[in-house]
Amino acid sequence: MKTLGVYIHIPFCVRKCVYCDFLSFPAEREIQKRYIDALKREIEENAVRYRDYTVKTIFFGGGTPSILPENDIKYIINALKVYYNISPDAEVTLEANPKTAGYEKFLALIDAGVNRLSLGLQSADNDELKLLGRIHTYEDFLKSYEEARKAGFGNINIDLISAVPSQTVKSWENTLKKAAQLSPEHISAYSLIVEENTPLGDRSSDFPPLPDEEDERLMYHRTKSILEKEGYRRYEISNYAKKGFESRHNIIYWQRGAAHTHDYAGFGLGASSTVGASRWKNTNDINKYIMSDGRDDIKEEYETLPQDDLMEEFMFLGLRMTCGISTDEFFQTFGKKAEDVYKDVLYKWTKQGFMEQSGGYIRLTDQGLDFANMVFADFIL
Amino acid sequence: MTMPQTDQSRIRNFCIVAHIDHGKSTLADRIIEKTGLLTSREMQEQVLDNMDLERERGITIKAQAVRTVYKANDGNEYIFNLIDTPGHVDFNYEVSRALAACDGAILVVDAAQGIEAQTLANVYLALDHDLDVFPVINKIDLPSAQPERVKNEIEDVIGIEAQDAPLISAKNGTGIEDVLEAIVHKIPAPKGNADNPLQALIFDSVYDSYKGVIVFCRVMEGRVAKGTKIKMIATGASFDVVEVGYFGAGQFIPCEELSAGMVGYLTASIKNVKDTTVGDTVTDAERPCASPLPGYKKVLPMVYCGVYPADGAKYPDLRDALEKLQLNDASLFYEPETSIALGFGFRCGFLGLLHLEIIQERLEREYNLDLVTTAPGVVYKVHKTNGEVIELTNPSNLPDPSEIEYMEEPVVNAEIMVTSEFIGSIMELCQERRGRYISMEYVEETRAVLKYELPLNEIIYDFFDALKSRSRGYASFDYDIKGYERSELVKLDILINKEEVDALSFIVHKESAYERGRKMCEKLKDEIPRHLFEIPIQAAVGGKVIARETVKAMRKDVLAKCYGGDITRKKKLLEKQKEGKKRMRQIGSVEIPQKAFMSVLKLDDQ
């Protein structure tokens, strides 16, 4: 059976955060409306392509999808329901920021079909939140979280960022503990990546210093130890979940493999799609997107991935997950054994203690995960 | 095509001498343009500097010549042979041979800047060759121009008449007529008798894949034509002349013969520029001249460095490229060498650092090669205890200290011209570079010429840059080789993770070893990426460690996020990481980026 993950990009936010390099910006309501119409057109126009698929996950990402009125989300989900086969147990996630949604909106979203909420907290320290350019306080977050629970969300993720300017190991531990105490089903804890084209990455801007290397590494390790003690299991480099609550949508990105069981369709501005060996990306130009007929005129950067690329991705994406890659799956997909294609590399990193193989899986060890990039680079053919 | 038989009295062979940027090439362009050889539209800017590199750097690397005809105010037509000389101290010998091919010189001085170190050096060189020199003051259109002051300076410092010097702006074309008339009246016509045995001076040569070597020469005595059997006196090679001619703008124009007083070229199916060395005398093999022209010398490389292909597989390409460059540049020397760190490459010898840079750039640009070059060094003389003397061009070949009696290094006479406010900082610089103070003379109230003796190895890296930065660009500098002097020299070795890296060794004065070693370790610490283990970087002299730095072990290398939208981008990062790794050199278990091998060059960066 062909299965599909659907990603829907909502490029709007109240205000850009200082570290954010995603495709997002504040926009007037009129633009939002026209965007939602264009999004619906794109979803409809592409329905034929996905006729044989069952949609297993839907993910509204951004930006801040929760700034849209609930009816917009409902409108899009309905469009999907009309034109696509949605699995009855589909995971439907929506990213939300505190202060952009409350009890009533949550109720309406659940009614529309959203069953997983991803709330951006980032830090439990109000000074850090302010520095990051977040529009909310920790207290605002608490309120949103409680209202989401009250409205009936039984699957909530909290996003956190470590190693932000001025942060201490102690304040990060505090953030982790406060988040874990709320007992969300899922926690994503990222180490900050300073991107060049952001205010934080601008050398001339004057932010307090980033934690030094020792502290940053300590924070990274505390994340695992604290969250595991609280009953979360790390299943990907930066993702932790209670048993059975791993993000099914994100796993589609990381687990490549047997044809058409890990395809994903991205709708909306700048969204990427991967279907079999084909990959493309929608335009980043909001005007072009709004004016489009929803067909191929907005698709850019078409590529057909050769087998080597597919194998590389299979490895460096799959190895992000703690369960590793399935050697059977690799063989079924490519007709070659991973142990042969990557013989030298596997030997080298196993010897180094960064990789291990058991039960039909090849995975990075805890130590290996710390140096994942170095190992991944070797899997580029 | 024939060239009308020309009366010697209507020929003017001259060159233009100037400090860099004083407008030599622009004046040359105007002379060519005004005499009608080319219209300004046809003329590519600066006809004579025709290598891309020359245009970009605004310098002349190879000598060039051009023949043009001028109808003077006296109603007669004169043939002008303008010989453009290289303008850099690395090419002093080439300059001297080009000057020897002339009868006079135009001295161009910038009306705002006045006399500079190169002005002096070049004028003295011209006067040494008995050339009649007349000055022109250029850039009079500049607001800061002070032509009267500059005239006085020329008379006071150089001692040549300057009151009636043409005041010109080569850029705007102002005053060029005056220069043309001055050429007719102030530069003497050539002498020499066409009936004497042939005696012609080679002042340059280029390689052409169809004609073979094209020899640029000035006929002093006698004549040469197609069919003449010629002999090169110094190299002893003989050939049958295939073609003779003169220089159009950017082209060779054949003619019947070249006779005494004329400047032109000859070809004779010569396969190798080594047979036609600059300064050699061409004579008639069947009726040879009694003696060669004076001044010939064999040019020896002064600066050596290792040149390696970044990709070891490109070794044959590098060899072919060097071979081709050498066809046009007899002063380029190379021989194969092997480095433990860098693999197969060549030890190359150059006239100076500029020459080195030019060759390196040409290899990279014209031959598309990616190179790793080791720190340049000079030629040391090692006197061994057994009486043997070796000329050391590669530090790795230094004999064991127990076998060394003493060592010598080349020393130069340097002249630095500087305004009085910077004298202190320039003297300090010279002291730091082990300079020996000789004298200081004021050329005018606020400017002086400092004379120092400096070891060549102290000036080959970055002396010029240091000079410029410590004088805010106002100091100018020239030097010539004085000879060899005994010196306390040691070999500084660099050990990375306890392994000696041969390509990083260099010879240094005992007194500066510690300082250099320390800086080198600091620099390498920044250049070598972190590994999974700690890497000690040590500098050692004779097995004794004198400086140490440590590259800390890498703690973490992981990208926190990777979702659907950024797989392509993340893959590019990984590809880059892998590519970067490929371009590293493996020394033991340490991967060293190629630019680390050049870091010794930049030790004085702040």
Side-chain angles (χ1 to χ4, degrees), chain A residues 21 190-191 195 213-214 216-217 220 238-239 250 253-254 264 309 313 320 370-374 377 380, chain B residues 530 532 552 554-565 567-571 574-575 577-578 581:
Chain A
D21 79 326
Y190 308 103
S191 248
E195 300 284 358
E213 194 186 35
E214 288 300 314
E216 197 255 9
R217 182 177 148 87
Y220 174 81
S238 306
N239 285 281
N250 288 336
Y253 295 141
W254 298 318
Y264 53 90
D309 285 51
E313 291 185 9
R320 292 188 67 87
D370 288 2
F371 299 97
N373 282 354
M374 200 185 228
I380 301 295
Chain B
R530 292 179 167 202
L532 290 168
K552 283 204 271 178
M554 192 201 301
R555 312 300 297 270
K556 183 166 166 276
D557 178 20
V558 55
L559 271 175
K561 263 187 182 186
C562 185
Y563 294 110
I567 291 171
T568 309
R569 203 177 122 205
K570 296 291 151 67
K571 187 156 71 181
L574 293 174
E575 278 164 2
Q577 191 164 349
K578 180 175 169 156
K581 238 177 152 169

Short mmCIF file of all heavy atoms in Angstrom, two decimals, chain A residues 21 190-191 195 213-214 216-217 220 238-239 250 253-254 264 309 313 320 370-374 377 380, chain B residues 530 532 552 554-565 567-571 574-575 577-578 581:
data_model
loop_
_atom_site.label_atom_id
_atom_site.label_comp_id
_atom_site.label_asym_id
_atom_site.label_seq_id
_atom_site.Cartn_x
_atom_site.Cartn_y
_atom_site.Cartn_z
N ASP A 21 15.20 31.00 10.78
CA ASP A 21 15.50 31.17 9.35
C ASP A 21 14.48 30.41 8.51
O ASP A 21 14.73 30.09 7.36
CB ASP A 21 16.93 30.75 9.03
CG ASP A 21 17.08 29.24 8.93
OD1 ASP A 21 16.38 28.52 9.66
OD2 ASP A 21 17.90 28.79 8.11
N TYR A 190 16.13 20.94 20.87
CA TYR A 190 17.18 21.22 19.90
C TYR A 190 18.29 22.03 20.51
O TYR A 190 18.05 22.89 21.34
CB TYR A 190 16.62 22.02 18.73
CG TYR A 190 15.40 21.41 18.10
CD1 TYR A 190 14.14 21.92 18.36
CD2 TYR A 190 15.53 20.31 17.26
CE1 TYR A 190 13.01 21.36 17.79
CE2 TYR A 190 14.41 19.75 16.68
CZ TYR A 190 13.15 20.27 16.95
OH TYR A 190 12.05 19.71 16.39
N SER A 191 19.50 21.79 20.06
CA SER A 191 20.60 22.70 20.36
C SER A 191 20.48 23.82 19.33
O SER A 191 20.30 23.56 18.15
CB SER A 191 21.93 21.98 20.13
OG SER A 191 22.59 21.79 21.32
N GLU A 195 22.02 30.59 12.56
CA GLU A 195 22.02 30.69 11.10
C GLU A 195 22.46 32.08 10.68
O GLU A 195 22.14 33.07 11.33
CB GLU A 195 20.61 30.42 10.55
CG GLU A 195 20.06 29.04 10.89
CD GLU A 195 20.65 27.91 10.05
OE1 GLU A 195 21.49 28.19 9.16
OE2 GLU A 195 20.28 26.75 10.29
N GLU A 213 31.65 25.98 24.94
CA GLU A 213 31.58 24.63 24.42
C GLU A 213 31.31 23.58 25.50
O GLU A 213 30.50 22.67 25.31
CB GLU A 213 32.93 24.35 23.76
CG GLU A 213 32.95 23.17 22.90
CD GLU A 213 34.35 22.90 22.42
OE1 GLU A 213 35.30 23.14 23.19
OE2 GLU A 213 34.48 22.48 21.29
N GLU A 214 31.98 23.74 26.64
CA GLU A 214 31.79 22.78 27.73
C GLU A 214 30.34 22.78 28.20
O GLU A 214 29.73 21.74 28.39
CB GLU A 214 32.71 23.15 28.91
CG GLU A 214 34.18 22.87 28.64
CD GLU A 214 34.44 21.40 28.34
OE1 GLU A 214 33.92 20.53 29.08
OE2 GLU A 214 35.13 21.11 27.34
N GLU A 216 27.73 23.88 26.60
CA GLU A 216 26.82 23.45 25.55
C GLU A 216 26.73 21.93 25.51
O GLU A 216 25.67 21.34 25.38
CB GLU A 216 27.31 24.00 24.20
CG GLU A 216 26.29 23.98 23.11
CD GLU A 216 26.53 22.91 22.09
OE1 GLU A 216 27.39 22.04 22.30
OE2 GLU A 216 25.84 22.92 21.07
N ARG A 217 27.89 21.31 25.67
CA ARG A 217 27.93 19.85 25.65
C ARG A 217 27.25 19.27 26.88
O ARG A 217 26.54 18.26 26.82
CB ARG A 217 29.40 19.42 25.60
CG ARG A 217 29.61 17.94 25.52
CD ARG A 217 31.10 17.68 25.41
NE ARG A 217 31.44 16.43 26.05
CZ ARG A 217 31.39 15.28 25.42
NH1 ARG A 217 31.01 15.23 24.17
NH2 ARG A 217 31.71 14.17 26.05
N TYR A 220 23.55 19.44 26.42
CA TYR A 220 23.13 18.41 25.48
C TYR A 220 23.02 17.05 26.18
O TYR A 220 22.08 16.30 25.96
CB TYR A 220 24.18 18.40 24.36
CG TYR A 220 24.07 17.34 23.33
CD1 TYR A 220 23.17 17.46 22.26
CD2 TYR A 220 24.90 16.22 23.37
CE1 TYR A 220 23.10 16.49 21.29
CE2 TYR A 220 24.84 15.25 22.40
CZ TYR A 220 23.94 15.38 21.36
OH TYR A 220 23.87 14.43 20.40
N SER A 238 17.29 14.71 18.44
CA SER A 238 16.74 15.77 19.27
C SER A 238 15.30 15.52 19.74
O SER A 238 14.65 16.44 20.21
CB SER A 238 16.76 17.09 18.49
OG SER A 238 18.05 17.36 18.00
N ASN A 239 14.82 14.30 19.56
CA ASN A 239 13.41 14.04 19.87
C ASN A 239 13.21 12.95 20.91
O ASN A 239 13.83 11.88 20.84
CB ASN A 239 12.64 13.70 18.59
CG ASN A 239 12.39 14.95 17.75
OD1 ASN A 239 11.48 15.73 18.05
ND2 ASN A 239 13.21 15.16 16.73
N ASN A 250 7.21 12.92 11.43
CA ASN A 250 8.65 13.16 11.28
C ASN A 250 9.42 11.89 10.96
O ASN A 250 10.43 11.94 10.25
CB ASN A 250 9.20 13.84 12.54
CG ASN A 250 8.73 15.29 12.61
OD1 ASN A 250 8.40 15.88 11.59
ND2 ASN A 250 8.67 15.84 13.81
N TYR A 253 10.11 11.38 7.40
CA TYR A 253 11.28 12.07 6.83
C TYR A 253 12.56 11.28 7.05
O TYR A 253 13.46 11.27 6.24
CB TYR A 253 11.47 13.44 7.48
CG TYR A 253 10.36 14.43 7.23
CD1 TYR A 253 9.94 15.28 8.25
CD2 TYR A 253 9.78 14.55 5.98
CE1 TYR A 253 8.94 16.22 8.05
CE2 TYR A 253 8.78 15.48 5.76
CZ TYR A 253 8.35 16.31 6.80
OH TYR A 253 7.38 17.23 6.58
N TRP A 254 12.66 10.68 8.21
CA TRP A 254 13.93 10.04 8.58
C TRP A 254 14.07 8.63 8.03
O TRP A 254 15.17 8.19 7.75
CB TRP A 254 14.08 10.01 10.12
CG TRP A 254 14.12 11.38 10.71
CD1 TRP A 254 14.78 12.46 10.22
CD2 TRP A 254 13.46 11.82 11.90
NE1 TRP A 254 14.58 13.55 11.02
CE2 TRP A 254 13.77 13.19 12.07
CE3 TRP A 254 12.64 11.21 12.84
CZ2 TRP A 254 13.29 13.94 13.14
CZ3 TRP A 254 12.17 11.94 13.91
CH2 TRP A 254 12.49 13.31 14.05
N TYR A 264 6.29 11.81 0.87
CA TYR A 264 5.57 12.91 1.50
C TYR A 264 5.30 14.02 0.50
O TYR A 264 6.08 14.27 -0.41
CB TYR A 264 6.29 13.46 2.74
CG TYR A 264 7.73 13.84 2.56
CD1 TYR A 264 8.08 15.13 2.18
CD2 TYR A 264 8.75 12.93 2.82
CE1 TYR A 264 9.42 15.50 2.05
CE2 TYR A 264 10.08 13.27 2.69
CZ TYR A 264 10.41 14.56 2.29
OH TYR A 264 11.72 14.92 2.16
N ASP A 309 22.32 8.63 -4.27
CA ASP A 309 21.75 9.64 -3.39
C ASP A 309 20.71 9.03 -2.46
O ASP A 309 20.62 9.36 -1.28
CB ASP A 309 21.08 10.76 -4.21
CG ASP A 309 22.11 11.69 -4.83
OD1 ASP A 309 23.03 11.16 -5.48
OD2 ASP A 309 21.98 12.91 -4.66
N GLU A 313 20.89 9.05 1.60
CA GLU A 313 19.83 9.59 2.45
C GLU A 313 19.26 8.53 3.38
O GLU A 313 18.97 8.80 4.54
CB GLU A 313 18.72 10.19 1.58
CG GLU A 313 19.19 11.44 0.88
CD GLU A 313 18.09 12.15 0.11
OE1 GLU A 313 16.91 11.76 0.24
OE2 GLU A 313 18.42 13.08 -0.64
N ARG A 320 19.82 9.01 12.12
CA ARG A 320 19.44 10.01 13.12
C ARG A 320 18.59 9.36 14.21
O ARG A 320 18.51 9.85 15.33
CB ARG A 320 18.63 11.15 12.48
CG ARG A 320 19.44 12.02 11.53
CD ARG A 320 18.63 13.23 11.09
NE ARG A 320 18.39 14.14 12.20
CZ ARG A 320 19.21 15.11 12.57
NH1 ARG A 320 20.34 15.31 11.93
NH2 ARG A 320 18.91 15.88 13.60
N ASP A 370 26.86 11.94 19.22
CA ASP A 370 27.51 13.23 19.47
C ASP A 370 28.29 13.71 18.24
O ASP A 370 28.51 14.90 18.07
CB ASP A 370 28.51 13.12 20.63
CG ASP A 370 27.81 12.99 21.96
OD1 ASP A 370 26.57 12.94 21.98
OD2 ASP A 370 28.51 12.95 23.00
N PHE A 371 28.75 12.76 17.45
CA PHE A 371 29.57 13.11 16.29
C PHE A 371 28.87 12.71 14.99
O PHE A 371 29.52 12.37 14.01
CB PHE A 371 30.93 12.42 16.39
CG PHE A 371 31.71 12.84 17.61
CD1 PHE A 371 31.70 12.07 18.75
CD2 PHE A 371 32.42 14.03 17.61
CE1 PHE A 371 32.40 12.47 19.88
CE2 PHE A 371 33.12 14.43 18.73
CZ PHE A 371 33.11 13.65 19.88
N ALA A 372 27.55 12.76 15.04
CA ALA A 372 26.77 12.24 13.92
C ALA A 372 27.21 12.82 12.56
O ALA A 372 27.33 12.09 11.59
CB ALA A 372 25.29 12.51 14.16
N ASN A 373 27.47 14.12 12.52
CA ASN A 373 27.83 14.72 11.23
C ASN A 373 29.09 14.11 10.63
O ASN A 373 29.18 13.87 9.44
CB ASN A 373 28.07 16.22 11.38
CG ASN A 373 26.77 16.97 11.46
OD1 ASN A 373 25.71 16.37 11.28
ND2 ASN A 373 26.85 18.25 11.72
N MET A 374 30.06 13.94 11.52
CA MET A 374 31.33 13.38 11.08
C MET A 374 31.11 12.00 10.48
O MET A 374 31.67 11.65 9.44
CB MET A 374 32.20 13.29 12.32
CG MET A 374 33.64 13.20 12.04
SD MET A 374 34.42 12.95 13.65
CE MET A 374 35.67 14.14 13.53
N ALA A 377 29.00 12.20 7.12
CA ALA A 377 29.78 12.67 5.96
C ALA A 377 30.43 11.49 5.26
O ALA A 377 30.59 11.49 4.05
CB ALA A 377 30.81 13.70 6.40
N ILE A 380 28.36 9.70 2.55
CA ILE A 380 28.17 10.32 1.24
C ILE A 380 29.06 9.55 0.26
O ILE A 380 30.25 9.44 0.48
CB ILE A 380 28.56 11.81 1.29
CG1 ILE A 380 27.73 12.57 2.33
CG2 ILE A 380 28.44 12.44 -0.09
CD1 ILE A 380 26.25 12.65 2.04
N ARG B 530 39.69 20.38 14.68
CA ARG B 530 39.69 19.46 15.81
C ARG B 530 39.46 18.04 15.34
O ARG B 530 38.73 17.79 14.41
CB ARG B 530 38.59 19.86 16.76
CG ARG B 530 38.90 21.15 17.42
CD ARG B 530 37.75 21.46 18.30
NE ARG B 530 38.09 22.53 19.19
CZ ARG B 530 37.45 22.74 20.33
NH1 ARG B 530 36.47 21.95 20.68
NH2 ARG B 530 37.80 23.73 21.09
N LEU B 532 39.09 13.80 16.94
CA LEU B 532 38.45 13.15 18.09
C LEU B 532 39.41 13.05 19.26
O LEU B 532 39.03 12.70 20.35
CB LEU B 532 37.96 11.76 17.68
CG LEU B 532 36.77 11.79 16.72
CD1 LEU B 532 36.52 10.42 16.11
CD2 LEU B 532 35.52 12.29 17.44
N LYS B 552 42.53 21.14 20.88
CA LYS B 552 41.70 20.34 21.78
C LYS B 552 40.88 19.32 20.99
O LYS B 552 40.58 19.52 19.81
CB LYS B 552 40.75 21.26 22.56
CG LYS B 552 41.45 21.97 23.69
CD LYS B 552 40.45 22.38 24.78
CE LYS B 552 39.88 23.75 24.50
NZ LYS B 552 38.88 24.19 25.47
N MET B 554 37.74 17.31 19.65
CA MET B 554 36.39 17.73 19.33
C MET B 554 35.42 17.06 20.29
O MET B 554 35.60 15.90 20.65
CB MET B 554 36.06 17.31 17.90
CG MET B 554 34.78 17.96 17.40
SD MET B 554 34.07 17.08 16.06
CE MET B 554 35.36 17.12 14.89
N ARG B 555 34.43 17.80 20.72
CA ARG B 555 33.51 17.25 21.69
C ARG B 555 32.20 16.83 21.05
O ARG B 555 31.50 15.96 21.56
CB ARG B 555 33.22 18.28 22.79
CG ARG B 555 34.45 18.94 23.36
CD ARG B 555 35.41 17.92 23.99
NE ARG B 555 34.81 17.23 25.10
CZ ARG B 555 34.87 17.66 26.37
NH1 ARG B 555 35.51 18.76 26.65
NH2 ARG B 555 34.31 16.98 27.33
N LYS B 556 31.84 17.46 19.96
CA LYS B 556 30.48 17.26 19.46
C LYS B 556 30.41 17.78 18.02
O LYS B 556 31.00 18.80 17.70
CB LYS B 556 29.57 18.10 20.36
CG LYS B 556 28.11 18.02 20.11
CD LYS B 556 27.40 18.63 21.31
CE LYS B 556 25.95 18.92 21.04
NZ LYS B 556 25.69 20.17 20.39
N ASP B 557 29.74 17.05 17.19
CA ASP B 557 29.55 17.51 15.81
C ASP B 557 28.23 16.91 15.32
O ASP B 557 28.19 15.84 14.75
CB ASP B 557 30.73 17.03 14.94
CG ASP B 557 30.56 17.43 13.48
OD1 ASP B 557 29.78 18.36 13.21
OD2 ASP B 557 31.19 16.81 12.62
N VAL B 558 27.16 17.61 15.61
CA VAL B 558 25.87 17.05 15.26
C VAL B 558 24.90 18.18 14.95
O VAL B 558 24.91 19.22 15.60
CB VAL B 558 25.34 16.16 16.41
CG1 VAL B 558 25.29 16.90 17.73
CG2 VAL B 558 23.97 15.58 16.07
N LEU B 559 24.13 17.99 13.90
CA LEU B 559 23.12 18.98 13.57
C LEU B 559 21.82 18.59 14.26
O LEU B 559 21.32 17.48 14.10
CB LEU B 559 22.90 19.03 12.07
CG LEU B 559 23.81 20.00 11.32
CD1 LEU B 559 23.59 19.87 9.84
CD2 LEU B 559 23.57 21.43 11.78
N ALA B 560 21.26 19.53 15.04
CA ALA B 560 20.11 19.20 15.86
C ALA B 560 18.89 18.83 15.03
O ALA B 560 18.14 17.94 15.37
CB ALA B 560 19.78 20.38 16.77
N LYS B 561 18.73 19.54 13.90
CA LYS B 561 17.47 19.40 13.17
C LYS B 561 17.66 18.91 11.75
O LYS B 561 18.58 19.31 11.07
CB LYS B 561 16.83 20.79 13.04
CG LYS B 561 15.78 21.08 14.07
CD LYS B 561 15.11 22.40 13.73
CE LYS B 561 14.09 22.72 14.78
NZ LYS B 561 13.30 23.90 14.47
N CYS B 562 16.75 18.07 11.30
CA CYS B 562 16.72 17.73 9.89
C CYS B 562 15.35 17.18 9.55
O CYS B 562 14.99 16.07 9.95
CB CYS B 562 17.80 16.71 9.55
SG CYS B 562 17.87 16.37 7.79
N TYR B 563 14.57 17.99 8.86
CA TYR B 563 13.23 17.55 8.46
C TYR B 563 13.09 17.59 6.95
O TYR B 563 14.04 17.92 6.24
CB TYR B 563 12.17 18.40 9.17
CG TYR B 563 12.18 18.16 10.65
CD1 TYR B 563 12.63 19.15 11.52
CD2 TYR B 563 11.78 16.94 11.18
CE1 TYR B 563 12.67 18.93 12.89
CE2 TYR B 563 11.82 16.71 12.54
CZ TYR B 563 12.27 17.70 13.40
OH TYR B 563 12.31 17.46 14.73
N GLY B 564 11.88 17.31 6.47
CA GLY B 564 11.65 17.15 5.04
C GLY B 564 12.22 18.26 4.18
O GLY B 564 12.85 18.02 3.16
N GLY B 565 11.97 19.50 4.63
CA GLY B 565 12.33 20.64 3.79
C GLY B 565 13.81 20.89 3.67
O GLY B 565 14.26 21.53 2.74
N ILE B 567 16.40 18.49 3.78
CA ILE B 567 17.27 17.36 3.48
C ILE B 567 18.32 17.72 2.44
O ILE B 567 19.50 17.44 2.60
CB ILE B 567 16.44 16.13 3.02
CG1 ILE B 567 15.65 15.60 4.22
CG2 ILE B 567 17.34 15.04 2.46
CD1 ILE B 567 14.64 14.54 3.89
N THR B 568 17.89 18.41 1.38
CA THR B 568 18.83 18.78 0.32
C THR B 568 19.94 19.66 0.87
O THR B 568 21.12 19.46 0.59
CB THR B 568 18.08 19.52 -0.80
OG1 THR B 568 16.95 18.74 -1.16
CG2 THR B 568 18.96 19.71 -2.01
N ARG B 569 19.54 20.63 1.69
CA ARG B 569 20.53 21.54 2.25
C ARG B 569 21.50 20.80 3.18
O ARG B 569 22.71 21.00 3.15
CB ARG B 569 19.80 22.63 3.01
CG ARG B 569 20.61 23.88 3.17
CD ARG B 569 19.81 24.95 3.88
NE ARG B 569 20.49 25.38 5.08
CZ ARG B 569 19.87 25.91 6.12
NH1 ARG B 569 18.58 26.04 6.14
NH2 ARG B 569 20.57 26.29 7.16
N LYS B 570 20.95 19.94 4.01
CA LYS B 570 21.80 19.20 4.95
C LYS B 570 22.74 18.27 4.21
O LYS B 570 23.89 18.10 4.59
CB LYS B 570 20.94 18.40 5.95
CG LYS B 570 20.08 19.28 6.85
CD LYS B 570 20.91 20.07 7.86
CE LYS B 570 20.28 21.40 8.27
NZ LYS B 570 19.05 21.25 9.04
N LYS B 571 22.22 17.71 3.11
CA LYS B 571 23.09 16.82 2.34
C LYS B 571 24.26 17.62 1.75
O LYS B 571 25.38 17.14 1.74
CB LYS B 571 22.29 16.13 1.23
CG LYS B 571 23.13 15.09 0.52
CD LYS B 571 22.31 14.02 -0.15
CE LYS B 571 21.59 14.57 -1.36
NZ LYS B 571 20.77 13.54 -2.00
N LEU B 574 26.88 18.00 4.34
CA LEU B 574 27.66 16.78 4.52
C LEU B 574 28.63 16.57 3.36
O LEU B 574 29.77 16.15 3.55
CB LEU B 574 26.73 15.56 4.65
CG LEU B 574 25.86 15.51 5.92
CD1 LEU B 574 24.90 14.34 5.85
CD2 LEU B 574 26.72 15.43 7.17
N GLU B 575 28.16 16.89 2.16
CA GLU B 575 29.04 16.75 0.99
C GLU B 575 30.25 17.67 1.13
O GLU B 575 31.37 17.31 0.81
CB GLU B 575 28.28 17.08 -0.30
CG GLU B 575 27.47 15.89 -0.79
CD GLU B 575 26.40 16.27 -1.82
OE1 GLU B 575 26.32 17.45 -2.18
OE2 GLU B 575 25.65 15.36 -2.24
N GLN B 577 31.48 18.78 3.92
CA GLN B 577 32.33 18.24 4.98
C GLN B 577 33.23 17.13 4.43
O GLN B 577 34.41 17.07 4.70
CB GLN B 577 31.44 17.72 6.11
CG GLN B 577 32.18 17.37 7.38
CD GLN B 577 31.22 17.24 8.57
OE1 GLN B 577 30.05 17.59 8.50
NE2 GLN B 577 31.72 16.73 9.68
N LYS B 578 32.61 16.30 3.59
CA LYS B 578 33.38 15.21 3.00
C LYS B 578 34.43 15.74 2.02
O LYS B 578 35.57 15.30 2.01
CB LYS B 578 32.45 14.23 2.28
CG LYS B 578 33.22 13.10 1.66
CD LYS B 578 32.36 12.05 1.04
CE LYS B 578 33.26 11.13 0.22
NZ LYS B 578 32.70 9.82 0.03
N LYS B 581 37.35 17.14 3.72
CA LYS B 581 38.19 16.07 4.23
C LYS B 581 39.11 15.53 3.15
O LYS B 581 40.27 15.24 3.39
CB LYS B 581 37.29 14.94 4.71
CG LYS B 581 37.50 14.60 6.15
CD LYS B 581 36.53 13.53 6.57
CE LYS B 581 37.16 12.76 7.70
NZ LYS B 581 36.25 11.87 8.36
#
